[in-house]
Amino acid sequence: MGKRLVVVGVQWGDEGKGKMTDFLGQHANVVVRYQGGNNAGHTITFDGQKFALQSIPSGIFHSGVKNIMANGMVINPPAVLKELEALRGRGITDFQLFISDRAAVVMPYHLLLDGAYEAQKGDKKIGTTGKGIGPAYADKYSRIGIRMGDLLDADYFAERLGNALTVKNMELQMLGLSPLDFESLYQEYLSYAKALRPYICDTAALLHSEIVADSHILFEGAQGVMLCVDHGTYPFVTSSSPTAASVPLGTGIAPKHIKYALGICKAYTTRVGSGAFPTEIEDDTAHYIRERGHEYGTVTGRPRRIGWLDVVALKHACRISGINWLAIMLFDVLSEIKTLKICTAYELDGEIIDYVPSTFSACQRCRPIYIELPGWQEDITGIRTFQELPSQAKAYIHTIEKLTQIRIATISVGPDRTQTIIRRTVF
Ligand code: IMP
C-alpha cells in the first residue's frame, strides 16, 4: 500500500523539516512542495556536506525520487535556476524535477512591492523575507497573476504580462518607485521559460498517476502552522497555509489520499521576523541556544528569536494539521542547560487560558506559565537509541508526549542524517 505522509512545521518555521524530509525521502518515490516559495530555507547535511534548498524539494538528493513543485507554490524562475546551478556545481546532477504549470510566478515587481509595503509599515513591519511572496499570492487571488504554464506560450504571456504590468506600474509609482519596462521583462522571462521548459508540466496529473501506481509520496511543508495566513499569528504570518489542509488544494489531489501528518517541532522555539512570541527569552540561555543551534536564518541570515517550548501553540498547530506523530528536532542543543522550561498555559489579563488568541494585541499580552524540568549535562550527539539518553532527556520527551497526547516518533540529536533516534517508523 502506497504511503502518503505530510511533513508539517508546527511552530514558526525553521523546525528542521528539510532534514526530516531528506531522511524520510530515502523511502519515498515522490517528494512534493505544496506551498510557499523561496522564502523557505531547508538545510540538509550528509556526508559532511551542507546544502541549503529554498524552493526545490528536499528529495532532490535521492536519485530515483520524483521532486514536484506543485501548483500551490509561488515560483521565482531565476531563483530556481540559480538553485539548480548550485546543485549541479556540487555534483548533484542525477535528479528528477517537475514544476507545476499552474504554480504562480514571482515577478520582479512582487519583490519591489514586498519591500515597499514593509517600508510603509515602519515599526509595524512583518519582517518578511523580502522574496515577494505576499504580493505574488495577492496577485494570484486578484487573478492578475502569471502562472508557470503561461510563460511557455509567448503570445499569451505577452497578454498576461501586459495586463499585470498596467496595474503593477501604477502601484509602483504610487509608492514612489519607477515603473518597469515591458519589453525587457518580457524577454528576460522568455529566456527563463526556455531554461525551465523541460521541467514544467501538469504535476496534478503526474501525482494522480503516482497514486494509481501506489507510490510512496511525501508532502513537504514549508514555514510552520503558526505562520499560516488563516491559523497563525495574523498579521505576522506568511501568505500561504503551511498546514496539512493545504495539500489537496496545493497539489491537485483529493483529501482522501492524504493519510498521515508528521509534525516537526524544535525542542525549543524560534521565530524570525516580528510578531507575538510569548515564550521569548533574551538572556544568556537564549544566546547559548542561538549559537549552539546556529539559529540564523537560512534565507536572510537574520538572528532568530529564541524561546522555550510553547505547548499552547504546539497543541493549536497539531490540532489544525491533524498531527499523528511528532519529530523533535535539535534536541542536542538543550544539553548543558541547568533548568529547562515548557510553557503549558498563558495568563491573559488575569485569566489562565490554554488557547492561542486570534488577535496580535491579545497574543502580545499573553504571559507564559511554565513547568520546570532538570536539564542534562551529557553530550547526546552520538546517541542513537532512546534508552541510551540521559534520564532527564527522556523525561523531557515524555513530558511533551503527556502534554500534547501525541507520540514522539523521532528525535534529532545533530544535523547529519545519521544523527537520528527512531522510536517509530512513520514512513
Ligand atoms: P514572507 O513569507 O517572506 O512574506 O514573510 C512573512 C513572515 O514569515 C516573516 O515573519 C518571515 O520571517 C516568516 N517566514 C517566511 N518563511 C519562513 C521560513 O521558511 N522560516 C521561518 N520564517 C519564515
Side-chain angles (χ1 to χ4, degrees):
M1 185 68 188
K3 296 173 197 146
R4 319 271 154 65
L5 180 73
V6 190
V7 172
V8 180
V10 284
Q11 293 166 311
W12 280 274
D14 307 317
E15 298 91 350
K17 294 177 293 293
K19 172 179 165 170
M20 275 321 287
T21 315
D22 168 69
F23 182 78
L24 298 167
Q26 301 171 74
H27 313 291
N29 303 112
V30 187
V31 177
V32 191
R33 271 279 308 265
Y34 56 91
Q35 46 74 227
N38 65 335
N39 49 346
H42 291 172
T43 310
I44 291 154
T45 310
F46 60 92
D47 298 343
Q49 289 202 77
K50 196 167 157 179
F51 295 88
L53 295 173
Q54 296 186 340
S55 42
I56 292 178
S58 303
I60 204 76
F61 305 105
H62 301 288
S63 57
V65 171
K66 293 188 173 78
N67 288 274
I68 295 182
M69 295 167 66
N71 58 281
M73 288 188 74
V74 286
I75 296 176
N76 181 326
V80 174
L81 288 168
K82 222 168 131 192
E83 253 182 273
L84 285 172
E85 202 182 292
L87 284 172
R88 288 198 185 99
R90 294 180 62 184
I92 311 293
T93 51
D94 188 15
F95 58 77
Q96 299 180 61
L97 181 68
F98 304 87
I99 302 176
S100 170
D101 50 8
R102 289 166 171 81
V105 182
V106 180
M107 297 294 290
Y109 43 79
H110 294 136
L111 283 97
L112 293 170
L113 291 171
D114 196 357
Y117 294 155
E118 284 284 87
Q120 292 291 317
K121 292 190 179 97
D123 64 356
K124 297 277 183 306
K125 66 173 185 279
I126 295 166
T128 71
T129 58
K131 302 289 181 186
I133 305 299
Y137 274 114
D139 277 5
K140 166 177 170 167
Y141 288 99
S142 299
R143 293 155 294 179
I144 55 163
I146 292 165
R147 309 205 295 183
M148 291 303 290
D150 303 348
L151 299 177
L152 303 182
D153 178 338
D155 291 341
Y156 185 59
F157 173 46
E159 187 189 317
R160 295 294 298 165
L161 181 62
N163 287 343
L165 214 49
T166 308
V167 181
K168 295 289 123 183
N169 275 344
M170 284 196 271
E171 221 179 315
L172 288 171
Q173 282 170 297
M174 244 162 51
L175 290 159
L177 297 168
S178 307
L180 297 178
D181 174 56
F182 172 87
E183 195 52 34
S184 56
L185 207 54
Y186 179 59
Q187 293 305 334
E188 184 186 344
Y189 276 71
L190 281 183
S191 78
Y192 299 144
K194 195 167 165 218
L196 290 173
R197 183 179 284 274
Y199 306 108
I200 301 173
C201 63
D202 181 344
T203 55
L206 172 65
L207 260 179
H208 182 73
S209 61
E210 292 294 329
I211 286 169
V212 171
D214 227 11
S215 297
H216 302 319
I217 307 175
L218 201 59
F219 299 94
E220 177 181 26
Q223 291 87 42
V225 177
M226 298 311 289
L227 288 171
C228 169
V229 69
D230 278 89
H231 301 286
T233 45
Y234 193 87
F236 297 94
V237 293
T238 191
S239 296
S240 66
S241 171
T243 68
S246 263
V247 174
L249 200 59
T251 62
I253 62 167
K256 67 178 177 187
H257 296 303
I258 292 115
K259 305 238 168 67
Y260 299 108
L262 173 71
I264 313 296
C265 179
K266 264 180 194 166
Y268 47 93
T269 310
T270 61
R271 177 163 199 178
V272 279
S274 323
F277 185 178
T279 64
E280 183 166 19
I281 49 172
E282 287 169 293
D283 54 10
D284 288 350
T285 307
H287 178 75
Y288 175 83
I289 291 177
R290 184 176 297 113
E291 295 312 311
R292 202 175 163 131
H294 310 292
E295 295 294 359
Y296 293 88
T298 322
V299 177
T300 58
R302 290 179 288 181
R304 294 179 184 140
R305 298 160 67 193
I306 309 285
W308 296 113
L309 185 66
D310 181 344
V311 170
V312 181
L314 180 57
K315 281 177 20 187
H316 172 88
C318 289
R319 175 168 52 83
I320 284 156
S321 265
I323 297 298
N324 301 93
W325 309 283
L326 285 169
I328 297 295
M329 311 304 290
L330 291 120
F331 194 44
D332 54 299
V333 172
L334 294 186
S335 293
E336 291 176 56
I337 298 175
K338 201 160 163 273
T339 305
L340 302 168
K341 294 185 187 181
I342 296 180
C343 167
T344 55
Y346 302 143
E347 192 212 298
L348 174 63
D349 303 335
E351 222 188 293
I352 307 295
I353 61 165
D354 65 352
Y355 61 87
V356 179
S358 71
T359 65
F360 166 67
S361 106
C363 284
Q364 274 289 77
R365 297 198 307 278
C366 283
R367 300 279 157 261
I369 295 176
Y370 290 117
I371 53 168
E372 292 192 355
L373 287 97
W376 58 93
Q377 304 312 305
E378 299 88 333
D379 173 11
I380 59 169
T381 55
I383 291 181
R384 296 292 175 268
T385 66
F386 188 70
Q387 287 68 28
E388 288 172 88
L389 283 171
S391 59
Q392 301 91 329
K394 283 190 220 164
Y396 191 83
I397 294 293
H398 285 142
T399 304
I400 302 172
E401 288 186 318
K402 203 166 143 209
L403 291 168
T404 58
Q405 292 291 300
I406 297 175
R407 185 86 209 272
I408 292 171
T410 59
I411 301 162
S412 176
V413 290
D416 199 84
R417 261 182 206 163
T418 58
Q419 293 176 297
T420 311
I421 297 174
I422 304 163
R423 295 175 77 208
R424 188 193 164 117
T425 305
V426 298
F427 189 71

